[in-house]
Every structure is written in C-alpha cells, then in structure tokens.
Amino acid sequence: MKTAQQIYSAAIKGAPRSPEWKHGTMAGLKRCESPHVSQCSPYQPGTAQDDAWAAGMQYGIQLWQWNQGEGAPA
C-alpha cells in the first residue's frame, strides 16, 4: 500500500495547481491514511484559498480511494 506522501509525490507535486489546492489534496490523503487525525483548513472561511483547499481535500480523498483500488477519482 502506498503512503499519502508517495501518492502525492507521484500524482500532485508537479501539477500546475495552486499551493492551497495542493495543501488540501495532501490533507485529504492524510485524512484517509490517518482518520483519527483532524484535518482543518488553515484559511479563512469564505475565501478563494479556503475553497481551493476544500476542493483539494475532496480530490485527495478520491485519489486515496483510487489508489486503494476503489475506482478512479471523479
């Protein structure tokens, strides 16, 4: 099984996305890897940065599921 860092490094690290989205994606991966650890946005609610982080978080969760053989991310 790949770790969150391995998945991130292979699929996201060099992607042309915002730092906030990438941070959220890693948070989503870590949330799946360690569900007992809270992952909260460091950005002010209602900002573009917070929206990007939340979108990245959702993608990170989907990416984790895909890497676990649960189907491709939507």
Side-chain angles (χ1 to χ4, degrees):
M1 175 166 41
K2 291 183 180 179
T3 67
Q5 185 61 54
Q6 289 170 327
I7 295 168
Y8 179 87
S9 293
I12 303 301
K13 193 172 185 179
R17 301 299 299 239
S18 70
E20 295 85 2
W21 185 87
K22 288 180 178 182
H23 187 219
T25 301
M26 185 58 154
L29 289 165
K30 285 183 176 180
R31 177 181 174 206
C32 293
E33 184 177 57
S34 302
H36 60 281
V37 177
S38 177
Q39 298 292 331
C40 299
S41 174
Y43 305 102
Q44 178 141 354
T47 62
Q49 291 86 1
D50 186 57
D51 289 349
W53 185 90
M57 171 83 144
Q58 289 302 313
Y59 186 76
I61 291 168
Q62 291 174 337
L63 191 59
W64 178 268
Q65 292 170 345
W66 179 70
N67 274 274
Q68 302 311 310
E70 299 176 29

